[in-house]
Amino acid sequence: MGGRTDRGQDLSEDSKERAPFHFIKAACASERLHTTKFKMSQVSPQRQRGVCLLLLLHTCTAMVMLPNSTGWEKILDKYLDEDGDWWEAKQRGKRAITDSDAQLIVDLHNKLRGQVYPPASNMEYMVWDTELERSAEEWAETCLWEHGPAGLLPQIGQNLGAHWGRYRPPTFHVQAWYDEVKDYAFPYPQECNPYCPFRCSGPVCTHYTQLVWATSSRIGCAINLCHNMDVWGQIWAKAVYLVCNYSPKGNWWGHAPYKHGTPCSACPPSYGGGCRDNLCYKDDSPYSQFEETEENNFIEPETPLSAKPWSRASNPAPPGLPTPTRAPSNAPIEDLQKNEVVNTQQMSQLLTCDTKLRDQCKGTPCNRYECPAGCLDAKGKVVGTIYYEMHSSVCRAGLHAGVIDNDGGWLDVTRQGRKDFFIKSNKNSVQSLGKYQSANSFTISKVAVKAITCDTTVAQLCPYEKPATHCPRLYCPRNCLEDNPHISRVIGTKIYSDKSSICRAAIHAGVIRNDSGGYIDVMPVEKRRHYTASNQNGIFSESLQNPPGGRAFRVFAVI
């Protein structure tokens, strides 16, 4: 009594038994089996049921295998969605990195530190430090694509990473830092006498060396979403910015990142002989893995991690050499009297008004010349227009070309090979002659002047080419001595690798002084098989044997 007869909601026993078959027939109908080459009515009921069961299995399998993007979208939006839980938590002053990401960063660091080659005998296990995390968060919030803050850099190491577009976990950047190892040549003990050379054949290797610096045993990182972030001149609308701070800091000039030897054979006594995965390890690690829950995945736990104060003193900078970071403004100026070298050799040659290029440029490079005043009244002849014959007066050809005026000045000369003829003309009060006979030629150009930074290299500015081209006259700023020597390297003595900092090489060569900077000339030359190290004017240059690529340069005074 009162039983519902609505089909599909209150089935009789008989209909319940038939229900699966009704569903199978519906599935068969949806697959339009009646359109096949044979009629289902001609097939036995057992075969019909078998075929339909196969189709049902196929349909259900396809339903199960449809990709569910909800989980991926949550991962993707974790650091990009400003309306999400992470951003809401961050606005309430909570942590700028999740516990899971922090653990992944620490774990990957320790994995990579434990597999360095050659193996390390003193590589320490790395742990998380919330004070470093907070300092990283403060810097990440500035959205400045540079290291900082300046007041903290002398005490910590720092690696930066940024990306936009598709989701990348923070470990993507950690792995990219480590991958610089392909360009880094580890300095073995026999090469360190007393200071170890820093050899990097790529754009930068200091992310790698900081990551594997043996005594850098604490790390703290932060992530921030930066709108319209300027990354090397490009504006990224939504950049995910990763900042990782390390303590004690690494990348000390003249030191190897770790000691080569049997893993854990040279651990500090404080580790009590403990070793884990090739790393010096002690069981009272302050970092513990948090259980992943909705409550603590994005929000700092009530009892935050506290890092014990680090008692070991940081490695001091080698005596008489700058530290890898820029010194504070009130730091004492390096004593340049020690190993002082003064070089007044100039690349530009002083000419007379009648000096012919043929007489000045026999078997020597034709580069930069200085002309005296009053050459309009001189008698030296000029042959040609734009292209001048080698018997022409250099300075009067410069007047004819409009490169200098009658007050004199500097000009650049480039040999151009043989020309079939030379055209006469009257320009700038100088009458040139014509010549309808093949002869060697040259052109004249103004001396360009360019201000550069302490880390500018010849490879970036004016690499060696054939035929030779002219580098501009350069102006170096003051205080390049304190620039980071891992970035602003100096390789060689007198003749430098084109990967060297131009301004620091000029200080090393004695062409300019650190406290004043000034103008210099550089001449790109063919590469050398050997570059010699030396300590001059407060800069310890590196040696280099048989470099695989690159060229060289010389640096000259401008007086």
Side-chain angles (χ1 to χ4, degrees):
M1 293 179 60
R4 299 181 60 185
T5 60
D6 187 9
R7 297 180 62 86
Q9 295 186 19
D10 188 12
L11 298 176
S12 66
E13 292 297 323
D14 181 65
S15 64
K16 288 180 182 178
E17 292 178 359
R18 295 195 303 268
F21 187 64
H22 292 322
F23 180 75
I24 292 169
K25 287 201 296 184
C28 290
S30 67
E31 295 289 340
R32 299 183 180 273
L33 287 180
H34 60 279
T35 62
T36 56
K37 293 183 180 180
F38 56 88
K39 294 183 179 180
M40 291 294 292
S41 60
Q42 298 174 353
V43 181
S44 65
Q46 292 80 4
R47 291 188 177 181
Q48 288 185 34
R49 183 172 296 186
V51 171
C52 293
L53 281 171
L54 288 174
L55 287 169
L56 175 63
L57 180 62
H58 170 76
T59 303
C60 294
T61 303
M63 293 170 63
V64 171
M65 295 303 292
L66 282 175
N68 183 356
S69 61
T70 303
W72 175 249
E73 288 175 353
K74 288 181 179 179
I75 296 174
L76 181 64
D77 293 339
K78 183 166 62 172
Y79 292 115
L80 295 178
D81 186 5
E82 297 177 54
D83 299 323
D85 295 338
W86 180 78
W87 265 99
E88 292 177 4
K90 190 174 185 304
Q91 296 303 318
R92 295 195 298 269
K94 302 301 181 181
R95 295 180 65 194
I97 192 168
T98 67
D99 294 327
S100 59
D101 282 341
Q103 186 69 64
L104 287 172
I105 288 173
V106 171
D107 289 346
L108 183 56
H109 271 76
N110 284 322
K111 175 185 175 182
L112 297 173
R113 287 163 68 87
Q115 67 182 31
V116 293
Y117 184 85
S121 62
N122 66 330
M123 187 71 72
E124 299 182 28
Y125 187 84
M126 188 170 280
V127 297
W128 193 262
D129 188 312
T130 53
E131 291 303 317
L132 291 173
E133 176 191 330
R134 290 190 182 97
S135 63
E137 179 179 1
E138 291 175 1
W139 187 247
E141 289 176 348
T142 67
C143 293
L144 294 175
W145 184 240
E146 60 187 49
H147 291 287
L152 191 60
L153 290 178
Q155 287 79 44
I156 65 165
Q158 188 176 79
N159 280 346
L160 307 177
H163 71 271
W164 65 277
R166 66 182 181 86
Y167 170 76
R168 291 186 178 96
T171 49
F172 170 86
H173 295 291
V174 176
Q175 186 65 53
W177 297 336
Y178 182 85
D179 289 345
E180 293 172 5
V181 65
K182 68 182 186 300
D183 298 322
Y184 179 71
F186 182 84
Y188 287 88
Q190 60 269 25
E191 302 176 85
C192 303
N193 51 355
Y195 304 120
C196 300
F198 182 84
R199 297 192 297 269
C200 178
S201 60
V204 64
C205 297
T206 48
H207 299 107
Y208 165 75
T209 52
Q210 175 59 79
L211 192 154
V212 300
W213 202 268
T215 57
S216 294
S217 60
R218 294 177 180 266
I219 184 174
C221 305
I223 297 172
N224 189 35
L225 178 64
C226 295
H227 291 277
N228 299 322
M229 184 176 178
D230 187 340
V231 180
W232 287 322
Q234 295 185 359
I235 303 301
W236 290 4
K238 279 190 175 183
V240 179
Y241 189 21
L242 172 67
V243 178
C244 285
N245 288 344
Y246 300 81
S247 181
K249 72 171 297 173
N251 287 341
W252 288 98
W253 177 245
H255 290 260
Y258 56 84
K259 295 179 181 178
H260 166 44
T262 303
C264 300
S265 62
C267 293
S270 59
Y271 284 89
C275 185
R276 176 178 176 180
D277 298 328
N278 298 329
L279 303 173
C280 304
Y281 178 77
K282 51 187 175 183
D283 293 333
D284 59 344
S285 171
Y287 193 92
S288 59
Q289 175 77 37
F290 286 100
E291 182 181 356
E292 286 293 327
T293 65
E294 186 176 354
E295 288 75 24
N296 67 20
N297 192 30
F298 302 114
I299 301 175
E300 190 172 9
E302 293 182 3
T303 305
L305 295 172
S306 60
K308 299 177 182 178
W310 188 251
S311 58
R312 187 189 301 121
S314 299
N315 292 340
L321 294 178
T323 60
T325 55
R326 186 176 294 278
S329 58
N330 59 353
I333 299 298
E334 185 75 33
D335 181 12
L336 296 183
Q337 300 304 316
K338 184 177 182 180
N339 298 324
E340 182 177 10
V341 175
V342 177
N343 185 352
T344 59
Q345 183 181 5
Q346 299 185 72
M347 184 176 78
S348 61
Q349 303 173 49
L350 182 62
L351 306 179
T352 67
C353 291
D354 296 326
T355 302
K356 301 174 183 178
L357 187 63
R358 181 182 179 88
D359 298 332
Q360 191 68 26
C361 196
K362 288 184 177 180
T364 62
C366 304
N367 291 293
R368 189 159 292 165
Y369 299 99
E370 183 179 1
C371 293
C375 288
L376 272 178
D377 300 325
K379 302 299 182 182
K381 68 178 181 179
V382 177
V383 179
T385 300
I386 301 178
Y387 293 94
Y388 300 96
E389 199 261 352
M390 294 290 288
H391 286 89
S392 299
S393 159
V394 176
C395 294
R396 284 178 52 79
L399 288 169
H400 183 267
V403 171
I404 59 172
D405 56 24
N406 200 38
D407 292 331
W410 284 278
L411 49 79
D412 282 335
V413 171
T414 305
R415 299 183 69 162
Q416 299 290 352
R418 298 187 72 84
K419 297 295 177 183
D420 293 333
F421 58 89
F422 299 86
I423 301 173
K424 69 176 182 179
S425 66
N426 191 322
K427 298 178 65 177
N428 302 312
S429 302
V430 175
Q431 176 65 55
S432 70
L433 305 176
K435 182 176 180 179
Y436 297 92
Q437 183 179 352
S438 176
N440 288 321
S441 66
F442 67 94
T443 56
I444 291 180
S445 59
K446 290 181 180 292
V447 176
V449 178
K450 182 179 179 63
I452 59 175
T453 61
C454 295
D455 59 356
T456 303
T457 67
V458 169
Q460 298 168 337
L461 185 69
C462 53
Y464 178 85
E465 296 177 354
K466 286 187 176 181
T469 56
H470 296 284
C471 291
R473 174 157 291 171
L474 305 175
Y475 182 81
C476 290
R478 296 181 297 170
N479 298 326
C480 286
L481 185 68
E482 289 81 31
D483 213 64
N484 189 333
H486 292 301
I487 298 176
S488 303
R489 304 167 64 192
V490 178
I491 305 170
T493 302
K494 294 185 179 179
I495 297 179
Y496 301 90
S497 163
D498 66 353
K499 294 180 174 59
S500 301
S501 157
I502 297 173
C503 295
R504 283 172 54 81
I507 296 173
H508 181 267
V511 170
I512 58 173
R513 292 182 60 87
N514 176 63
D515 56 357
S516 59
Y519 290 96
I520 60 172
D521 285 331
V522 296
M523 180 191 296
V525 296
E526 289 274 14
K527 74 175 182 180
R528 296 297 188 264
R529 297 179 61 184
H530 175 70
Y531 297 91
T532 305
S534 65
N535 185 0
Q536 296 180 174
N537 300 324
I539 293 179
F540 193 96
S541 69
E542 304 173 38
S543 63
L544 188 61
Q545 297 276 359
N546 298 318
R551 304 295 183 179
F553 71 97
R554 297 178 63 190
V555 60
F556 299 88
V558 175
I559 301 175

